[in-house]
Amino acid sequence: MNAASPNLKPLTARKSGPLQGVTKVPGDKSISHRALMFGAITVGETIVSGLLDGDDVLATAEALRAMGADITKGGDGLWRIFGTGLGGLRSPGKPLDMGNSGTSTRLLAGLIAGHPITATLTGDASLSKRPMNRVIKPLAMMGATFESENEGLLPLTVTGSPDIMPIEYRLPVASAQVKSAILLAGLNAPGRTTVIEDHPTRDHTERMLRHFGVDVQVKDNKDGSQSISVIGQQELQPCAVDVPCDPSSAAFPAVAALINEGSEVRLSRICINKRRTGLYETLQEMGADITYKHTRTESGEKVADILVRSIGKLKGVTVPPERVPSMIDEFPALAMAAACAEGTTVMTGLAELRVKESDRLQMIAEGLTACGVRVETGKDSLTVHGTGKPPKGGATVKTAFDHRIAMAFLVLGTASDQPITVDDSTAISTSFPNFRTLMEDLGAVIG
Ligand code: S3P
């Protein structure tokens, strides 16, 4: 899509005043993808509540249906999956359209790799630029074959192997998608498949596999890394999955509350898995009043209600690079908080942000600059100079079909002196379809 496309839907946010209320953001995107995938390879009925109905997750559901899983959503909001059993997926009769979803693409590549089937994965303009070699390399070592017209990019044809082999693989980049793709392929391999992580990434695959009755082993190594192993050819047991709400989506109303004086917002049932909460930790270091209430464990994941109160100015901080994987999707939201904070916020170790739904370092820097914020970027770093109050705004910001860039700048627009318009809001439905109404219910002026 380009700026002249008639399909663009610009959206504007205006100075809103205090945000107030109790709200529930949609289900966690990572957990929703995995619930569908694991249900699809289980014999019997898996019932999922709280699944995210976003475009990315719907792309996963559609692909799994095309490979033989029976997946329906009932009038009661529950999703019911009758899977094919481990090894039972079949070749789809058509290319699988992954839309904007990197998680669908990379995890399904792993699942397909362990089946004697062939599938072609396609995606939109943004996904078609994202690197797939990171999954192609280990899955090819296991025995799958790949064809791509554009070296390592979509469209990508994956042919799985009936004799998929277990491997031990050290991740060259911190990526839960790559880890999960290998473990999913390993489910069909004889023996032990091991992924070694130098930097811990989200562990929803490991937790949910255990919830489905699979033995997953995690070992701390002497060099500080962790080895995650699965023994293949274990049948998954059908179960109920209650998907908690998404901390990455909650980031947007949370930051909006913090930058609008006098706000108090309660975000219910958020997944507070410690590999996902780096943003909240960072905001607390910036002086934010954020507390977890009613902490409990549901379907193998820790959840809590998050209470966010704006009690004064945020302060700029330096984010430790080792925290990056636990807040990898939250830098657009954090950058908006940093733009309103007093002092400089320094973020390093962000190379992966250049290969997300857009080059997020560039999109954040261009957008903030247009809104009157002083910003510097490096190859893998971002520095934001806040002045202790919301910036001028008054700009139209480019989003490059990136949902999180669009939501982040709309959040900033609720506090900036002049309105902020995003050139396109359509991508928001990939992860947070009711973003606008939820924010409006809290008092944000958007539209
Ligand atoms: C995800 C992992 C992360 C994250 C993405 C979801 C997952 O990607 O950015 O939104 O569900 O495993 P990487 O594995 O590329 O870091």
Side-chain angles (χ1 to χ4, degrees):
M1 249 190 257
N2 60 52
S5 167
N7 298 324
L8 297 183
K9 285 206 184 103
L11 192 59
T12 301
R14 297 182 164 76
K15 206 174 193 44
S16 305
L19 304 190
Q20 304 279 350
V22 180
T23 193
K24 207 168 160 196
V25 301
D28 186 76
K29 186 149 75 71
S30 295
I31 297 176
S32 294
H33 285 297
R34 288 158 172 83
L36 291 174
M37 290 182 199
F38 296 167
I41 52 167
T42 302
V43 176
E45 187 185 39
T46 296
I47 299 182
V48 186
S49 58
L51 191 99
L52 164 65
D53 273 5
D55 297 342
D56 279 10
V57 176
L58 298 180
T60 290
E62 206 38 51
L64 292 167
R65 283 190 189 110
M67 291 191 283
D70 179 358
I71 302 179
T72 49
K73 183 183 180 189
D76 51 6
L78 295 181
W79 288 70
R80 290 185 164 75
I81 309 159
F82 288 91
T84 60
L86 191 62
L89 295 177
R90 58 172 154 73
S91 294
K94 53 175 190 203
L96 302 175
D97 182 2
M98 301 290 99
N100 191 244
S101 181
T103 308
S104 311
T105 309
R106 296 194 179 117
L107 268 60
L108 285 175
L111 208 51
I112 295 163
H115 284 73
I117 63 174
T118 295
T120 299
L121 303 167
T122 66
D124 70 7
S126 148
L127 184 59
S128 301
K129 286 191 214 131
R130 299 183 64 188
M132 295 300 150
N133 278 333
R134 54 183 58 197
V135 286
I136 292 176
K137 187 173 168 215
L139 296 174
M141 285 164 66
M142 297 175 84
T145 51
F146 293 85
E147 278 169 54
S148 151
E149 279 167 35
N150 317 305
E151 185 44 31
L153 301 178
L154 298 191
L156 180 68
T157 299
V158 188
T159 301
S161 168
D163 302 310
I164 197 83
M165 292 306 294
I167 53 169
E168 180 175 298
Y169 190 76
R170 186 167 212 123
L171 294 180
V173 280
S175 168
Q177 292 178 354
V178 179
K179 169 176 64 176
S180 302
I182 298 167
L183 294 176
L184 283 175
L187 287 178
N188 282 313
R192 177 185 296 268
T193 295
T194 300
V195 179
I196 302 168
E197 291 195 305
D198 288 309
H199 309 283
T201 64
R202 65 190 68 193
D203 58 357
H204 304 305
T205 296
E206 298 89 304
R207 285 173 186 274
M208 202 182 292
L209 279 175
R210 288 199 190 108
H211 191 62
F212 276 78
V214 175
D215 179 19
V216 179
Q217 287 156 13
V218 179
K219 191 172 114 231
D220 292 323
N221 300 321
K222 285 206 190 93
D223 62 1
S225 64
Q226 266 194 341
S227 296
I228 302 108
S229 302
V230 68
I231 309 281
Q233 302 179 338
Q234 304 177 56
E235 285 296 339
L236 283 74
Q237 303 305 317
C239 59
V241 181
D242 205 357
V243 179
C245 299
D246 197 324
S248 299
S249 296
F252 299 105
V255 168
L258 292 172
I259 63 175
N260 280 288
E261 224 179 292
S263 299
E264 180 165 332
V265 168
R266 189 178 180 114
L267 301 151
S268 309
R269 239 191 123 241
I270 305 296
C271 176
I272 55 157
N273 180 323
K274 68 176 188 319
R275 297 193 182 183
R276 296 291 299 282
T277 49
L279 170 75
Y280 299 94
E281 212 177 309
T282 305
L283 290 170
Q284 283 167 334
E285 287 171 5
M286 294 172 83
D289 182 1
I290 295 180
T291 41
Y292 296 160
K293 306 273 181 196
H294 188 31
T295 302
R296 65 265 188 203
T297 298
E298 293 176 11
S299 299
E301 293 283 357
K302 209 162 155 194
V303 301
D305 299 346
I306 301 186
L307 184 64
V308 184
R309 278 188 294 224
S310 94
I311 47 161
K313 275 186 191 159
L314 298 173
K315 303 254 178 301
V317 291
T318 295
V319 182
E322 61 275 13
R323 191 182 291 160
V324 169
S326 69
M327 54 182 298
I328 190 69
D329 292 336
E330 278 61 85
F331 285 93
L334 177 64
M336 303 304 128
C340 303
E342 191 161 54
T344 299
T345 296
V346 181
M347 297 159 262
T348 55
L350 305 186
E352 279 293 296
L353 261 62
R354 296 220 179 258
V355 290
K356 290 292 176 190
E357 286 83 329
S358 68
D359 177 342
R360 285 188 173 153
L361 282 187
Q362 187 189 333
M363 301 313 291
I364 293 170
E366 280 182 15
L368 283 181
T369 305
C371 292
V373 182
R374 200 154 66 78
V375 180
E376 287 129 33
T377 52
K379 209 159 52 75
D380 68 349
S381 65
L382 176 66
T383 302
V384 177
H385 301 279
T387 57
K389 57 182 178 50
K392 165 171 82 49
T396 295
V397 168
K398 278 195 263 161
T399 55
F401 204 67
D402 186 327
H403 54 139
R404 298 197 204 280
I405 296 294
M407 289 187 277
F409 280 98
L410 289 169
V411 162
L412 189 62
T414 66
S416 55
D417 296 337
Q418 293 162 36
I420 294 177
T421 298
V422 295
D423 68 346
D424 184 25
S425 58
T426 51
I428 293 174
S429 63
T430 61
S431 67
F432 199 160
N434 62 337
F435 170 77
R436 179 175 168 184
T437 50
L438 183 145
M439 292 294 291
E440 285 175 337
D441 287 348
L442 294 173
V445 184
I446 298 182

